[in-house]
Amino acid sequence: MKILTVIGARPQFIKACMLSKLFKKNSKITEVIVHTGQHYDKNMSDIFFQQLQIPKPTYNLAVGSNSHGKQTGKMLGSIEEILLNEQPDITLVYGDTNSTLAGSLAASKIHIPVAHVEAGLRSFNKKMPEEINRLLTDHLSTVLFCPTTSSVVNLKNEGIENNVYLTGDIMYDAIIYYKNIALSQSNIISQLNLIPQDYYLATIHRAENTDNPNRLKTLLTVLSSLERKVILPLHPRTKSKIKDFNLNRFFLNSNIKIVEPLDYFDMLTLESQAKMVLTDSGGVQKEAYMLQVPCITLRDETEWVETVTAKWNTLVGASDSESILEAISKTKKPDEYPTPFGDGSASKIIYDTLNKYNF
Ligand code: UD1
Ligand code: UDP
């Protein structure tokens, strides 16, 4: 079986690593990796290939940053050419980025089956580019791998019931595999002079927060008012918007410590030892839950509804600093800990299912 994997953004490298390990072990499977180049800085891309031992991509499209249409369009043409040349049995895509949509659209138009890992997630907010990418990708996919029961229900509500598999979350597999390795190899806690449980870890990168000066200002007001240290690994999008909106004043005389985007081991280590995680990231919300760290989600809605129902995650939006600060001050670890993300065998279930198909 020849599998063509399309990845391009940070969270996709982390999601893809566990399946790539399984493909590598089977001599009857060839995985051709296409890196779209959506993320290209060393610490947004290469570092994950090295650390997670993902095979070097056969193709790097180097599309770089651009508007949605231009970026997706560039990917689409190049992926189509590669697909025609490689003739894979299946195209594998992950998550909800522009790279996901380009991969699924290019393949489905030329009748190459698409498998979508992390299918069925919905925020029900079509203003998010990710929501458009997920909706379209799910409707173009032949095989759909859902991480949670609610994602299976979302697909059912849209009439997608065939070839839908509940697998658990592949990011949980990665945490189980890498957590102890990360804790033993990372020295980020001492490097940043932190006391475990006595700092907050924050990430902000969603377009709806970074591109709106009022929302970004509200979030920086919150972070700069907290009484403990706040570690803020700064996504390049956020860095450039802080500069554009002239918001650097929030970092003067505050507890915020800005760091460059971190590698996976440093990130897992910081997440697992934090008092609380404050984020608008999908992956980071889930990882906080998987590591049993309370999370405040700086968005108006989430796809990871199970974390909210279980009370480990609180949705606070990004428009009212007072109410966000109040939510932070009231947050504590719940007693109950349900396990909505499976048992860490998502990659094995996906692998076995792909092997069953006769594409
Ligand atoms: C993308 C995904 C988002 C995902 C995120 C993960 C889409 C529409 N969005 O958002 O769903 O949560 O990745 O991190 O696909 N930049 C750099 N260096 C890089 C990459 C980006 O400087 O290596 C800067 C550029 O200024 C670029 C901006 O970041 O314009 C945004 O990058 P882009 O990939 O377009 O979107 P993300 O915000 O990263
Ligand atoms: N991550 C990382 N370093 C960072 C920030 C995030 O390794 O500085 C990891 C994080 O642990 C998670 C993934 O990147 O596995 C989440 O990606 P991101 O927040 O960029 O995107 P999203 O999940 O929101 O699409």
Side-chain angles (χ1 to χ4, degrees), residues 104-125:
S104 58
L105 193 51
S108 57
K109 282 280 186 93
I110 53 173
H111 311 144
I112 294 171
V114 175
H116 185 202
V117 176
E118 215 175 76
L121 276 303
R122 296 290 181 268
S123 65
F124 302 101
N125 173 3

Side-chain angles (χ1 to χ4, degrees), residues 38-232:
Q38 177 171 351
H39 286 175
Y40 44 85
D41 290 347
K42 189 171 185 309
N43 56 9
M44 294 295 286
S45 173
D46 286 4
I47 195 131
F48 297 99
F49 282 82
Q50 286 156 19
Q51 198 166 55
L52 309 177
Q53 295 174 311
I54 306 166
K56 191 174 157 36
T58 315
Y59 300 91
N60 190 323
L61 311 181
V63 298
S65 305
N66 219 316
S67 65
H68 289 285
K70 285 192 181 132
Q71 188 183 56
T72 314
K74 258 183 162 179
M75 294 176 193
L76 199 56
S78 306
I79 296 171
E80 182 182 62
E81 221 169 273
I82 294 168
L83 287 167
L84 289 169
N85 183 32
E86 291 282 349
Q87 291 293 329
D89 297 297
I90 189 150
T91 298
L92 186 58
V93 297
Y94 292 86
D96 54 19
T97 72
N98 289 347
S99 301
T100 316
L101 177 61
S104 58
L105 193 51
S108 57
K109 282 280 186 93
I110 53 173
H111 311 144
I112 294 171
V114 175
H116 185 202
V117 176
E118 215 175 76
L121 276 303
R122 296 290 181 268
S123 65
F124 302 101
N125 173 3
K126 283 198 189 151
K127 290 213 168 115
M128 286 178 75
E130 293 84 359
E131 186 76 352
I132 309 280
N133 293 340
R134 309 180 183 116
L135 268 165
L136 294 175
T137 296
D138 284 340
H139 285 261
L140 297 172
S141 293
T142 316
V143 193
L144 300 100
F145 296 115
C146 294
T148 54
T149 43
S150 63
S151 51
V152 175
V153 172
N154 289 338
L155 290 180
K156 193 169 179 214
N157 290 341
E158 291 171 21
I160 304 176
E161 292 189 68
N162 292 334
N163 304 318
V164 173
Y165 299 87
L166 175 63
T167 61
D169 198 298
I170 203 160
M171 291 182 95
Y172 187 38
D173 297 21
I175 287 205
I176 291 172
Y177 189 92
Y178 281 114
K179 184 181 165 190
N180 288 338
I181 300 175
L183 288 172
S184 66
Q185 291 194 14
S186 166
N187 59 9
I188 191 81
I189 298 280
S190 56
Q191 209 178 302
L192 296 176
N193 210 3
L194 297 173
I195 300 168
Q197 306 300 323
D198 196 32
Y199 65 91
Y200 299 105
L201 174 67
T203 77
I204 303 170
H205 78 275
R206 291 285 174 175
E208 73 252 31
N209 286 337
T210 58
D211 297 11
N212 176 327
N214 290 332
R215 286 176 79 90
L216 189 53
K217 228 187 277 176
T218 301
L219 295 178
L220 294 178
T221 303
V222 169
L223 299 188
S224 60
S225 320
L226 292 168
E227 77 296 357
R228 289 184 171 81
K229 272 195 190 170
V230 180
I231 308 304
L232 181 63

Side-chain angles (χ1 to χ4, degrees), residues 10-11 14 48 171 205-206 233 261-262 267 271 281-283 287:
R10 173 169 66 188
I14 294 157
F48 297 99
M171 291 182 95
H205 78 275
R206 291 285 174 175
L262 296 167
M267 190 64 186
E271 284 172 335
S281 156
E287 286 171 347

Side-chain angles (χ1 to χ4, degrees), residues 9-26:
R10 173 169 66 188
Q12 291 166 332
F13 310 138
I14 294 157
K15 288 166 196 169
C17 80
M18 298 307 290
L19 265 171
S20 279
K21 286 186 206 307
L22 292 173
F23 296 150
K24 245 192 297 185
K25 280 193 204 149
N26 185 341

